[in-house]
């Protein structure tokens, strides 16, 4: 009888441990951008814009995922729609195939649609021991770099198995629930998780098709005629 009790307790503990690991669902991310940072200090017109809109623009995205694939796309409408045009002039729908190590990104830049097929975004991560609780999950901090000099700060949880996150970011041993890119004056933080089945996640299909290298060349051509794009050209590649 004692042996049976021990076995039952062991099974219950194992089931409890298994229940901690999430394989599929939908995460809502709140994106906050300091939109005043895009405005010039000495410009009278920009000073008037500052008076008419809040310092932080808040928008929402959804990340639907399972163990093999994920898709990051626009979420619900923001409550305050006073958002500077520069924040949304580049928008992404990002599909990732975690098994194949590939991504397909539908990008809208100045109203033109691009469909870019590339490998997963490479980030040079360094994991730290700093903890943070996000949306009820215990997370660990990681600091990374992209494009040699752009610093990225992430908080991930290994309770969610998919190695994914907002935009094109991933590559950590679990799901990224918090992300900050200081150069973009932007953060993404998970607000909630819905435990839903996520079968048949399909990649976007609209837009002129490019490989990653072809798209980089296209961006370089844009830079020749667009002064604004020069300031944040790397943003088109995440």
């Amino acid at each position: 009888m004692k042996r049976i009790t021990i076995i039952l307790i062991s099974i219950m503990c194992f089931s409890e441990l298994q229940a901690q690991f999430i394989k599929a669902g939908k995460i809502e991310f709140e994106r906050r951008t300091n939109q005043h940072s895009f405005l010039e200090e000495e410009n009278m017109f920009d000073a008037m814009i500052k008076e008419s809109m809040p310092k932080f623009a808040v928008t929402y995205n959804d990340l639907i995922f399972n163990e093999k694939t994920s898709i990051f796309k626009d979420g619900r409408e923001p409550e305050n729609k006073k958002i500077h045009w520069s924040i949304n002039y580049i928008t992404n729908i990002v599909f990732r195939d975690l098994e194949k190590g590939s991504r397909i990104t539908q990008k809208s830049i100045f109203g033109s649609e691009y469909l870019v097929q590339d490998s997963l975004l490479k980030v040079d991560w360094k994991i730290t021991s700093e903890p943070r609780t996000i949306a009820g999950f215990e997370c660990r901090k990681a600091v990374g770099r992209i494009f040699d000099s752009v610093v990225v700060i992430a908080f991930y949880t290994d309770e969610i198995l998919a190695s994914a996150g907002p935009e094109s970011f991933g590559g950590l041993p679990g799901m990224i629930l918090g992300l900050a890119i200081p150069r973009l004056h932007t953060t993404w933080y998970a607000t909630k998780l819905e435990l839903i089945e996520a079968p048949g996640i399909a990649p976007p299909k609209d837009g002129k098709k490019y490989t990653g290298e072809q798209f980089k060349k296209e961006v370089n051509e844009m830079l020749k005629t667009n002064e604004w794009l020069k300031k944040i050209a790397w943003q088109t590649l995440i």
Side-chain angles (χ1 to χ4, degrees):
M1 182 69 181
K2 185 177 179 181
R3 185 179 177 186
I4 293 172
T5 302
I6 292 171
I7 292 171
L8 286 172
I9 291 171
S10 298
I11 292 170
M12 288 171 66
C13 290
F14 180 76
S15 298
E16 205 170 283
L17 183 64
Q18 285 292 95
Q20 292 178 5
F21 296 101
I22 295 168
K23 297 180 179 181
K26 181 173 80 169
I27 301 170
E28 179 186 77
F29 283 92
E30 180 184 86
R31 173 182 167 177
R32 293 175 62 88
T33 301
N34 181 350
Q35 57 187 352
H36 287 189
S37 66
F38 292 92
L39 304 173
E40 297 178 12
E41 290 293 333
E42 305 300 325
N43 188 301
M44 185 180 297
F45 182 70
D46 281 358
M48 293 172 63
I49 294 176
K50 280 186 180 181
E51 293 294 326
S52 67
M53 61 173 55
K55 183 175 182 179
F56 289 96
V58 178
T59 57
Y60 297 92
N61 296 96
D62 291 330
L63 176 64
I64 300 170
F65 67 93
N66 55 38
E67 289 185 276
K68 298 180 180 180
T69 58
S70 69
I71 189 163
F72 181 80
K73 58 184 182 178
D74 288 343
R76 61 186 170 97
E77 286 289 313
E79 295 175 9
N80 193 327
K81 297 183 181 181
K82 291 184 178 180
I83 298 173
H84 193 264
W85 67 270
S86 59
I87 292 173
N88 290 326
Y89 91 97
I90 297 175
T91 59
N92 291 332
I93 298 174
V94 185
F95 168 85
R96 273 170 293 201
D97 189 317
L98 303 175
E99 284 193 326
K100 295 180 180 178
S102 63
R103 58 177 162 148
I104 297 175
T105 307
Q106 181 182 310
K107 295 179 177 288
S108 178
I109 303 177
F110 294 127
S112 297
E113 300 291 336
Y114 303 85
L115 195 66
V116 185
Q117 186 158 359
D118 205 349
S119 57
L120 295 178
L121 180 66
K122 184 178 179 182
V123 185
D124 181 19
W125 292 114
K126 292 185 179 179
I127 297 172
T128 76
S129 58
E130 182 178 333
R132 180 175 294 189
T133 301
I134 300 173
F137 292 89
E138 291 298 316
C139 299
R140 290 183 66 183
K141 181 180 178 180
V143 180
R145 288 183 183 274
I146 55 175
F147 316 130
D148 297 326
S149 62
V150 178
V151 175
V152 180
I153 301 164
F155 290 90
Y156 74 94
T157 178
D158 58 9
E159 294 178 43
I160 303 175
L161 297 179
S163 179
E167 303 291 351
S168 294
F169 289 92
L172 287 166
M175 177 67 73
I176 297 172
L177 296 181
L179 184 75
I181 305 178
R183 190 179 293 187
L184 189 56
H185 307 281
T186 302
T187 61
W188 295 256
Y189 279 96
T191 60
K192 61 182 178 180
L193 166 71
E194 294 180 44
L195 294 177
I196 63 171
E197 292 295 326
I201 297 174
K205 297 180 179 180
D206 295 334
K208 186 177 179 181
K209 293 182 180 179
Y210 290 83
T211 65
E213 287 302 315
Q214 288 171 338
F215 185 68
K216 288 177 186 177
K217 292 179 181 177
E218 182 74 9
V219 170
N220 286 332
E221 287 298 314
M222 293 182 199
L223 296 179
K224 294 177 182 178
T225 58
N226 191 305
E227 289 296 321
W228 173 258
L229 195 58
K230 289 180 181 180
K231 298 179 182 179
I232 50 172
W234 61 270
Q235 185 188 344
T236 63
L237 304 177
I238 65 173

